[in-house]
Amino acid sequence: MRWPAEAIWEAVAPLLPGFTVEVLPQLDSTNTELMRRARTGRADPVLLVAEQQTAGRGRLGRDWHSSAGASLTFSLGLPLAPADWSGLSLAVGASVADSLHPDIVLKWPNDLWLGDRKLGGILIETASFGDGAAGARYAVIGIGLNIAPRPAAGLSIEPAALRELLPQADAAAVLERIARPLVGDLQRFERDGFVAFQQRFAQRDALRGRAVRLSDGTAGTAQGVNAAGSLLVHTAAGPQAISSSEVSVRPAAR
Ligand code: BTN
């Protein structure tokens, strides 16, 4: 695949001095690699793409499966110093979806869905950076998107693929579409926080109005997301604002 590394660099470098783009044929995981680098003191802004990941990671310690050519797997690493980090994965999801297609919906806290099937996921990790002055950390924003259909591989529901919406899509063109707006949106998040994305998220909120079940067994109805990015759930015990990333939410069957 020919990657538009130069075009992305030209679009992003004016926003992020020192920015580089790196494409590697194979890596364990782009997130793992940038976190490794951060531990050795490297905290420069970089977009790292792996054509193939051998140990892709998802949230909550899950594996993330992808295959060369059929998926886009990359991480953007950059120093960030927002006053409040909450809602970052929601802002990233809104940014990616807005760059790609109006029909993509967002499942709190960090999945991109097509209907009720998963199209992609976001894994955000941070590492300490410099002396931590002004709350700056090195943020590693990992994004995995299914571009072409692939086998369900043990999943109960077949994953969605972007080509269902954009038949011509390939990983390189998708990355070029996402990258610059994503950097701009991250800088906006750093400045203004999640509240600047609340409306954009709400327009794509896959759970709003739906019956959901939390991983602790609580059942309720999802009622949108507040200004801090917490999921509001109406339960038998009253309204709850869910912020813990350790809670997973499943829509109950329709
Ligand atoms: C999830 O759905 O749980 C998040 C999936 C995130 C996958 C991406 S692929 C690029 C980056 N590297 C990884 O190992 N994970 C993220």
Side-chain angles (χ1 to χ4, degrees), residues 29-31 53 55-59 64 73-75 111 118 121-123 142-144:
S29 144
T30 54
N31 264 50
Q53 291 192 135
R57 294 186 290 112
R59 282 180 67 239
W64 175 262
T73 50
F74 72 96
S75 301
D111 284 0
K118 184 158 170 163
I122 298 162
L123 175 68
I143 299 180

Side-chain angles (χ1 to χ4, degrees), residues 50-156:
E51 293 186 325
Q52 183 144 34
Q53 291 192 135
T54 54
R57 294 186 290 112
R59 282 180 67 239
L60 310 176
R62 298 185 185 120
D63 293 335
W64 175 262
H65 297 281
S66 57
S67 37
S71 319
L72 171 62
T73 50
F74 72 96
S75 301
L76 175 65
L78 76 174
L80 276 186
D84 182 354
W85 289 84
S86 51
L88 177 56
S89 67
L90 282 56
V92 170
S95 179
V96 172
D98 285 353
S99 292
L100 292 177
H101 200 280
D103 291 349
I104 297 173
V105 292
L106 299 169
K107 181 192 157 270
W108 186 94
N110 49 5
D111 284 0
L112 291 100
W113 278 14
L114 205 50
D116 271 352
R117 289 173 305 131
K118 184 158 170 163
L119 177 67
I122 298 162
L123 175 68
I124 299 180
E125 299 174 290
T126 69
S128 60
F129 159 64
D131 60 6
R137 293 182 67 77
Y138 189 66
V140 176
I141 293 154
I143 299 180
L145 284 174
N146 305 322
I147 305 292
R150 60 188 176 86
L155 300 174
S156 51

